[in-house]
Amino acid sequence: MESSSINELNRSFALIPVTVIKGVGQKRAEDLLKLNIETVRDLLYHFPRLYLDRQNMSPMNRIKPDETVLIEGNVIKISESGMFPKIKINVEISDGKGRMLLVWFNQPYMKNQFALGQKILAFGKVVFFKNRLQLINPEIERPEKEDQFRRIVPIYPLTEGVSQRFLRNIITEALCDFPECMIDPVPEEIASRHGFPAYKESLEKIHFPSSIDETGKYRKRFVFEELFLFGLISAVRKKISQNENIKGLSIRGEIIRKFTEKMPFQLTDGQRQALREIYYDMENDGRMMRLLQGDVGCGKTLVAYIALLKAIENGRHGFFMTPTEVLAEQQYEQFREWSSMIDLPCYLYTAGLSAAAKREVEEAIRSGTPAIITGTVALLNQRIDAGNTGLLVIDEQHKFGVMQRARLVLRSSSNLLVMTATPIPRSLALTLYGDLDLSVIKDMPSGRKRISTRIITEDDLVKVYNEIRDATARGEKTFFVFPAISADEDSDIKAAIQGYRHLLKNIFPDRKVILLHGGMSSIEKREARQEFTCGKCEIMAATSIIEVGIDVRKATIIVIMNADRFGLTQIHQLRGRVGRSDIESRCYLVGSRKMTDEAKERLNAAVKCKSGFELAEEDLRIRGQGDIFGLRQHGFIKLKIADLQKDFNMLKTAREEAFLVAGKEAYKNLPAMLLVNEKLDYCFGTEGG
């Protein structure tokens, strides 16, 4: 079949609304939309989460509680109890060897489904209640439909208004009605090389397998497809960036040399290696697309600053974009200090600036004099002339959407350097940042000591308070971190405002305590930060707003209240606010009075894992991958079937195949490219070509 015909079929498969299927009206379609099912393809790619074996009949005299069973018997008693609408229907059946009570709650119509002596099949989980075995809300069928009932049954993720039976019925309809649209997005050569079963067969059998044992090979086939498409998206995005007509920044001037000679510390081996990789990319034609990773406190910001100087040496601007004004101001202050050593102009551009201050920065950028500009998403403002940008650095990329990133990159001829606050698992890096080359800083600046981490209760805080008094007497500083700005009096959540008042009035009346949270004005936040960093303030009560960008060498103690309410990587990021000198530092995790088992496991992992790389993998194991792209902010939906931990080897294989395919001239004609271009168009406003 011609490529154009294949793409037309695949397009119809991907875009035919689910309402064309018998039994799916407007109301049903709205319910299905809650499961992200809009098209026939969405429906057929709504994979089972598990399978139940309904092939073997269980004698009623051998059934035990908590078993999931299929039984057959004759109706011997029908009764009801309760008042409408809370009616309970009881149907007792017998197979001659034993009896079973079938119970339905709030389904009065079920009474009319049965007659005494009628033979039925029932399937469900056995419970022991009021001294007898029961099936609660079981599935039932007549013996004449036994062939359809006695089989391997798929169990799907559900939502309100959508039942298992309804999903099974409409998926069966779709498989029967649209066979000609089932064109494999994986190239035949690749599918054959890996021994995958045929596409149509796989699509049918992953929903309705003949045996439990065979489900593995069909799952493997669709895991590969999903990861292959993710890899192809990354490969095409990378190909687009490499083909862009961007000249390399090959000039090696004196600015970097002057700065490195004057800076009061030495670069680590990891920082030097990262800079060599960045220089190589920037000096060659095409757009640099690189991810810089490293643990908290490893010196990523310094590497980014020196990379910005590379752009300055070549007569171009350097942009540094952060997700918050607090972080932008913190980085600006650091960059301004470094830039003053080499007489380099440095500007701040955020939404919080006055109109006059914004115009001053905009005019400075338009003047063409190379400068470093630090800011927030305000840098996306059309008044900012990004045409002379040599390097864009995005800090904490995960807090930006892919479209935000693309808007600034595509408006300029700049290189791109992305930084993450903490290391991310390798599997996430290959999917979330698959189009970026990777630089990793594995070592830390010399003289840093490990941070001691302990889990404590509120009763232990008295000892911690005494420890803080001793520390402040030595000139050291302390953070108290709270999960919320404010909270109700009867709430179990500790809040920054109430916590600040309690610390100031009841615990440290003789110490200077300051408050910092996101609800304060830009001026208030700046003053609080400066007072704590450079002034006489000894204790700060704050929210997680301090998790990045706060660098206070005298800070040696951090107390995280309701620590179980923070994510594992967030705890590690907060912990990184201390331990930035050769002084012993401590992190205290104060758990809530009632914690889930997962929360306890997360806090124990924070104590056990000292390395951010190790901790990132542990966080993925505990929480699962979830919506790794954060509510579609990166332009992709969450993975439907692949598990990034369990399927890591498959991820590597699928990615290698995808990059090989994208390197071929004919790749644009592949059925998979239809799906890939939809994603690229959504994220970048441009197709993959």
Side-chain angles (χ1 to χ4, degrees):
M1 189 177 290
E2 295 294 327
S3 296
S4 59
S5 300
I6 289 175
N7 272 344
E8 284 305 311
L9 287 174
N10 219 33
R11 184 178 294 276
S12 65
F13 182 64
L15 301 181
I16 291 176
V18 74
T19 49
V20 304
I21 299 173
K22 182 181 177 182
V24 182
Q26 191 57 44
K27 176 62 172 67
R28 289 289 200 180
E30 291 173 4
D31 291 334
L32 289 170
L33 190 58
K34 300 172 190 173
L35 295 169
N36 295 318
I37 298 174
E38 295 182 71
T39 69
V40 172
R41 187 180 193 278
D42 294 336
L43 176 64
L44 293 180
Y45 276 69
H46 187 70
F47 298 119
R49 59 182 176 83
L50 57 89
Y51 301 89
L52 294 179
D53 190 344
R54 252 179 14 192
Q55 292 177 311
N56 299 313
M57 203 78 72
S58 299
M60 293 186 196
N61 61 342
R62 296 184 181 178
I63 292 174
K64 297 177 181 178
D66 297 325
E67 291 181 338
T68 300
V69 298
L70 173 66
I71 56 176
E72 182 180 48
N74 295 311
V75 176
I76 60 174
K77 187 177 181 180
I78 304 170
S79 64
E80 66 177 88
S81 59
M83 297 285 289
F84 184 83
K86 296 183 178 181
I87 292 178
K88 176 184 173 186
I89 303 298
N90 304 296
V91 176
E92 190 170 357
I93 65 173
S94 170
D95 63 357
K97 298 177 181 178
R99 295 184 177 190
M100 180 64 67
L101 181 64
L102 314 181
V103 179
W104 288 269
F105 291 97
N106 306 323
Q107 299 177 60
Y109 60 88
M110 290 301 297
K111 183 179 179 181
N112 300 323
Q113 305 294 311
F114 306 101
L116 292 175
Q118 177 187 11
K119 180 172 284 191
I120 63 170
L121 297 165
F123 180 79
K125 187 173 183 179
V126 181
V127 299
F128 188 75
F129 184 66
K130 290 189 176 181
N131 294 318
R132 69 174 304 174
L133 297 177
Q134 305 180 18
L135 292 184
I136 307 299
N137 296 325
E139 292 187 55
I140 60 165
E141 193 54 84
R142 299 178 185 277
E144 55 265 31
K145 295 186 178 180
E146 184 174 338
D147 289 345
Q148 300 174 30
F149 198 69
R150 290 186 67 175
R151 61 179 181 179
I152 305 300
V153 181
I155 303 298
Y156 299 96
L158 297 178
T159 188
E160 185 178 356
V162 179
S163 68
Q164 295 291 347
R165 176 169 288 191
F166 173 68
L167 271 179
R168 290 198 290 267
N169 288 342
I170 62 173
I171 286 172
T172 300
E173 289 280 345
L175 288 169
C176 293
D177 292 348
F178 300 98
E180 76 284 355
C181 298
M182 298 176 190
I183 308 300
D184 194 348
V186 177
E188 184 178 350
E189 175 189 350
I190 295 175
S192 176
R193 182 160 59 244
H194 292 281
F196 294 138
Y199 182 63
K200 186 172 181 290
E201 174 196 342
S202 299
L203 209 45
E204 292 172 349
K205 292 294 188 179
I206 196 166
H207 290 288
F208 303 112
S210 301
S211 69
I212 294 288
D213 292 339
E214 73 176 15
T215 59
K217 67 179 180 181
Y218 299 117
R219 178 190 177 276
K220 180 180 178 182
R221 187 247 170 276
F222 285 106
V223 166
F224 179 89
E225 178 188 317
E226 184 168 49
L227 298 175
F228 173 76
L229 289 173
F230 270 104
L232 201 52
I233 290 167
S234 297
V236 173
R237 278 167 47 185
K238 188 166 187 175
K239 190 180 180 74
I240 293 170
S241 68
Q242 289 174 336
N243 290 342
E244 288 173 310
N245 186 25
I246 297 176
K247 292 294 182 183
L249 306 181
S250 57
I251 297 174
R252 296 196 175 193
E254 295 294 308
I255 296 177
I256 292 176
R257 184 185 61 79
K258 288 180 180 177
F259 174 70
T260 53
E261 287 177 353
K262 291 183 177 181
M263 66 183 190
F265 33 73
Q266 295 293 315
L267 292 171
T268 65
D269 291 340
Q271 288 173 314
R272 290 193 186 92
Q273 177 60 31
L275 283 168
R276 282 193 290 270
E277 293 165 354
I278 292 168
Y279 289 165
Y280 178 83
D281 285 355
M282 293 179 70
E283 290 174 359
N284 283 282
D285 293 346
R287 191 191 301 275
M288 175 178 77
M289 302 277 284
R290 185 165 287 277
L291 168 66
L292 178 62
Q293 274 213 92
D295 210 342
V296 180
C298 72
K300 296 185 294 291
T301 303
L302 177 60
V303 169
Y305 179 78
I306 295 174
L308 291 167
L309 295 183
K310 178 73 173 172
I312 302 296
E313 286 187 338
N314 283 264
R316 309 284 285 278
H317 296 312
F319 280 23
F320 189 97
M321 192 162 78
T322 72
T324 66
E325 287 194 8
V326 168
L327 183 53
E329 291 170 1
Q330 174 77 15
Q331 300 295 21
Y332 167 67
E333 290 165 7
Q334 180 65 80
F335 287 174
R336 185 175 61 174
E337 178 184 334
W338 287 342
S339 297
S340 66
M341 296 161 52
I342 48 177
D343 298 320
L344 180 70
C346 186
Y347 302 99
L348 174 68
Y349 193 88
T350 67
L353 293 179
S354 66
K358 288 179 184 175
R359 282 195 299 271
E360 181 182 344
V361 178
E362 292 160 9
E363 290 168 4
I365 293 171
R366 279 194 295 270
S367 74
T369 303
I372 291 177
I373 301 93
T374 303
T376 58
V377 289
L379 289 171
L380 298 173
N381 192 316
Q382 290 296 323
R383 293 193 299 271
I384 294 290
D385 182 1
N388 192 40
T389 307
L391 175 63
L392 167 64
V393 179
I394 301 182
D395 197 13
E396 286 205 275
Q397 157 67 25
H398 62 286
K399 293 188 178 178
F400 291 96
V402 114
M403 288 183 288
Q404 287 179 314
R405 177 180 99 184
R407 280 170 56 194
L408 190 54
V409 173
L410 294 176
R411 280 178 52 213
S412 69
S413 57
S414 73
N415 296 286
L416 175 69
L417 180 65
V418 167
M419 300 197 301
T420 58
T422 55
I424 57 177
R426 191 179 172 206
S427 55
L428 285 184
L430 289 176
T431 47
L432 192 57
Y433 303 109
D435 58 325
L436 307 183
D437 295 309
L438 180 63
S439 291
V440 180
I441 302 174
K442 293 185 176 179
D443 50 3
M444 300 290 283
S446 61
R448 296 278 179 93
K449 291 190 176 182
R450 283 194 178 274
I451 303 164
S452 170
T453 305
R454 284 181 53 203
I455 301 170
I456 64 172
T457 66
E458 289 185 40
D459 295 335
D460 299 320
L461 282 173
V462 174
K463 294 179 182 177
V464 175
Y465 294 151
N466 291 330
E467 191 177 319
I468 291 170
R469 290 188 184 92
D470 293 340
T472 54
R474 297 191 297 268
E476 298 169 24
K477 304 197 176 200
T478 296
F479 292 104
F480 279 85
V481 183
F482 300 85
I485 294 175
S486 61
D488 298 331
E489 286 187 12
D490 57 349
S491 173
D492 291 334
I493 299 175
K494 305 300 178 184
I497 292 176
Q498 290 93 327
Y500 162 71
R501 292 170 181 162
H502 175 66
L503 292 171
L504 183 64
K505 182 179 179 181
N506 303 320
I507 309 301
F508 302 110
D510 56 339
R511 300 287 194 271
K512 182 84 183 279
V513 184
I514 205 161
L515 176 66
L516 178 64
H517 60 76
M520 298 164 63
S521 69
S522 297
I523 294 175
E524 289 172 330
K525 285 185 283 193
R526 186 182 308 119
E527 289 176 348
R529 196 175 60 253
Q530 289 175 343
E531 180 68 14
F532 186 69
T533 304
C534 308
K536 295 181 179 180
C537 176
E538 301 152 311
I539 298 166
M540 172 177 279
T543 59
S544 61
I545 193 173
I546 68 159
E547 70 178 281
V548 290
I550 303 291
D551 188 359
V552 183
R553 290 182 60 81
K554 290 184 178 180
T556 60
I557 298 175
I558 183 166
V559 182
I560 304 177
M561 306 298 294
N562 293 123
D564 51 293
R565 292 182 175 270
F566 293 91
L568 194 48
T569 53
Q570 193 175 29
I571 288 174
H572 186 62
Q573 190 67 22
L574 288 167
R575 178 167 59 186
R577 297 313 97 204
V578 299
R580 292 178 171 254
S581 67
D582 57 357
I583 305 174
E584 194 76 39
S585 295
R586 283 86 70 205
C587 172
Y588 293 105
L589 307 176
V590 186
S592 302
R593 295 194 183 278
K594 295 181 180 179
M595 289 195 292
T596 64
D597 290 340
E598 181 186 314
K600 293 175 183 176
E601 186 177 11
R602 196 163 61 244
L603 295 189
N604 285 326
V607 173
K608 180 183 71 174
C609 301
K610 306 302 181 184
S611 158
F613 293 94
E614 179 187 0
L615 186 140
E617 298 292 346
E618 186 72 3
D619 194 27
L620 180 62
R621 183 191 68 78
I622 293 172
R623 291 195 303 155
Q625 63 203 30
D627 182 357
I628 64 172
F629 296 107
L631 300 178
R632 298 194 180 195
Q633 69 170 343
H634 293 276
F636 308 115
I637 58 175
K638 63 183 179 181
L639 295 172
K640 291 177 178 292
I641 193 168
D643 183 306
L644 291 180
Q645 284 193 304
K646 184 165 63 176
D647 301 315
F648 181 65
N649 289 332
M650 181 68 81
L651 169 62
K652 292 190 293 182
T653 300
R655 187 173 186 274
E656 288 169 3
E657 293 282 18
F659 272 74
L660 285 173
V661 166
K664 298 176 181 177
E665 189 58 34
Y667 79 93
K668 296 179 187 178
N669 294 324
L670 292 173
M673 284 309 300
L674 172 74
L675 303 170
V676 168
N677 283 331
E678 285 176 7
K679 299 299 185 186
L680 290 170
D681 193 48
Y682 175 78
C683 300
F684 290 93
T686 179
E687 289 200 353

